[in-house]
Amino acid sequence: MDMTFAPDPLALLVIGALGLIVVGAAGLAFGRHLFRLVLALGLAEAGANLLLVIAGYRWDAVAPILTGSAPAAMVDPVPQALVLTAIVIGVGVQALAVALLVRVKLAYGTLDLAELKALVERDIRAAAGIGEPDSAQAPATLPGPAGLIGERP
Amino acid sequence: MAWLVLLLVVLMLGAAVLVLLLDNLVAAVAAASVVSLLLSVLFALLAAPDVALTEAAVGAGLSGAVLALGLRRLGLAGIKAEDDHA
């Protein structure tokens, strides 16, 4: 079965890495809950790490560990060291984000993005001394069916 | 080798999509840990054993623990977590 059709492993790995980045970016773009955004950021970061390790890979090479035997071709160890650091930094970023979420929950009582946007805009308007904006509500208060189209006088 | 990579990549992308689609946030954190675990197997196949060890210990273990404890602190650790923001 292996001889008839075998997928290219390197192409599969690149597809997996790019897929992780795309899924993470989609979660960041379309997420409606702040905790889901933290998870999506972790996904995108994992995909970037995989892409970096793939960049230093060679099929005819061994792991970059000196064993004392005859020297052989090694995989590039520099991206691996970078990714090692990036993984640890990623966990630090995630822990900081969770701590910030706890503070947001304490301050506003919700983590839903739409509710948070309304609350933050209300606070900004209160701090600046501006009342409720009329332009956003003007089409809804227009009488008659002409108001449904949203025409401005 | 190629079929193993195919299986791992498909499982990893499926778990990644589940992270975004699951309603229960605890299940989403578990799916994120599954992504990290499969990613560590891929790192081991890519001749990066140190990165694989770190990803399995830090990415799947510590990160999942931090996220789960954060969920408990946020009061979102129950079933139907996204509906109870009162």
Side-chain angles (χ1 to χ4, degrees):
Chain A
M1 136 178 139
D2 248 348
M3 296 297 109
T4 56
F5 167 72
D8 184 11
L10 200 56
L12 276 176
L13 285 165
V14 172
I15 287 173
L18 292 181
L20 270 187
I21 294 177
V22 166
V23 169
L28 280 176
F30 301 119
R32 290 177 289 109
H33 196 265
L34 270 185
F35 196 85
R36 191 83 68 181
L37 261 61
V38 176
L39 291 177
L41 190 67
L43 286 183
E45 170 210 316
N49 287 342
L50 182 55
L51 207 56
L52 271 175
V53 171
I54 292 169
Y57 187 65
R58 290 175 54 181
W59 286 109
D60 53 350
V62 298
I65 298 172
L66 288 176
T67 54
S69 59
M74 281 180 179
V75 172
D76 191 359
V78 174
Q80 296 190 7
L82 278 176
V83 166
L84 206 62
T85 316
I87 289 172
V88 180
I89 291 175
V91 173
V93 167
Q94 243 173 10
L96 176 66
V98 170
L100 288 176
L101 289 197
V102 171
R103 299 308 299 242
V104 169
K105 178 86 171 187
L106 282 179
Y108 288 105
T110 180
L111 288 178
D112 189 88
L113 268 183
E115 296 178 14
L116 272 178
K117 184 162 180 280
L119 287 172
V120 169
E121 281 180 353
R122 184 203 63 191
D123 280 359
I124 290 176
R125 279 198 304 270
I130 307 173
E132 292 287 317
D134 348 313
S135 59
Q137 298 168 356
T141 54
L142 280 180
L148 295 177
I149 313 173
E151 293 174 356
R152 298 298 172 92
Chain B
M1 173 74 179
W3 297 99
L4 181 59
V5 169
L6 177 65
L7 177 69
L8 287 172
V9 166
V10 167
L11 282 178
M12 189 178 68
L13 288 182
V17 172
L18 275 186
V19 169
L20 300 185
L21 294 186
L22 282 173
D23 276 339
N24 192 347
L25 282 177
V26 178
V29 169
S33 283
V34 168
V35 171
S36 282
L37 214 53
L38 295 170
L39 191 63
S40 76
V41 179
L42 282 180
F43 282 148
L45 288 178
L46 280 172
D50 45 353
V51 182
L53 277 175
T54 311
E55 177 74 31
V58 174
L62 186 62
S63 167
V66 164
L67 289 172
L69 289 176
L71 267 186
R72 199 179 67 174
R73 176 70 70 90
L74 289 169
L76 294 173
I79 311 294
K80 298 297 291 175
E82 301 209 14
D83 289 339
D84 64 352
H85 42 253

